[in-house]
């Protein structure tokens, strides 16, 4: 079992920054691909970014590339999403997810553990 707890969401003005954290319990963290997804009201869940098990590779959705930075600290069982130059269209609930099989994937269907989500609201 893996439990994921997100934190760091909030209200920010356009152009501002937030850093989301996702703390994981369980011994499988270092063997898991970690991803972030988001869901705005009335929209499908959308891929944001993922990071491979060692942290050596990251992959971003085009909509956030160059603005968001994903990193992980396997010693702390934590993954971080630094979000810069935020836009109103980034407003959503952000979910941390773990793929304990360690695949490199942007498909939400392949992530088998999810956090409860944290709200990010960007005002214009």
């Amino acid at each position: 079992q893996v439990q994921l707890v997100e934190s760091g969401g909030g209200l920010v003005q356009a152009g501002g920054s937030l850093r989301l954290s996702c703390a994981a319990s369980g011994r499988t963290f270092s063997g898991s691909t970690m991803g972030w997804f988001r869901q705005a009201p009335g929209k499908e869940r959308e891929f944001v970014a993922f990071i491979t098990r060692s942290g050596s590779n990251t992959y971003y959705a085009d909509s956030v590339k160059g603005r968001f930075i994903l990193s992980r600290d396997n010693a702390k069982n934590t993954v971080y999403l630094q979000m810069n130059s935020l836009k109103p269209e980034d407003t959503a609930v952000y979910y941390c997810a773990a793929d304990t099989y360690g695949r490199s994937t942007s498909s939400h269907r392949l992530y088998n553990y999810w956090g409860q989500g944290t709200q990010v609201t960007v005002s214009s």
Side-chain angles (χ1 to χ4, degrees):
Q1 286 283 348
V2 176
Q3 291 186 321
L4 304 174
V5 179
E6 301 102 332
S7 61
L11 173 64
V12 64
Q13 289 188 331
S17 298
L18 282 174
R19 188 176 82 154
L20 305 184
S21 298
C22 173
S25 65
R27 295 176 293 177
T28 58
F29 178 80
S30 61
S32 299
T33 297
M34 298 300 297
W36 284 92
F37 295 80
R38 65 188 182 186
Q39 189 166 18
K43 294 190 175 182
E44 299 278 325
R45 189 164 296 192
E46 176 189 26
F47 167 74
V48 175
F50 75 76
I51 187 166
T52 54
R53 290 172 291 180
S54 67
S56 58
N57 290 293
T58 51
Y59 185 79
Y60 300 92
D62 287 343
S63 57
V64 307
K65 199 174 295 182
R67 300 188 297 123
F68 289 13
I69 301 171
L70 182 55
S71 62
R72 67 189 294 163
D73 186 338
N74 285 347
K76 295 183 178 180
N77 279 15
T78 303
V79 63
Y80 305 97
L81 183 67
Q82 177 67 43
M83 305 187 297
N84 301 319
S85 303
L86 283 161
K87 305 175 181 179
E89 51 263 43
D90 294 319
T91 296
V93 177
Y94 282 70
Y95 296 92
C96 173
D99 171 14
T100 58
Y101 295 96
R103 295 164 293 195
S104 296
T105 179
S106 60
S107 172
H108 66 88
R109 294 178 180 84
L110 297 181
Y111 286 80
N112 48 342
Y113 292 96
W114 292 81
Q116 81 288 351
T118 185
Q119 176 70 47
V120 171
T121 303
V122 184
S123 63
S124 57

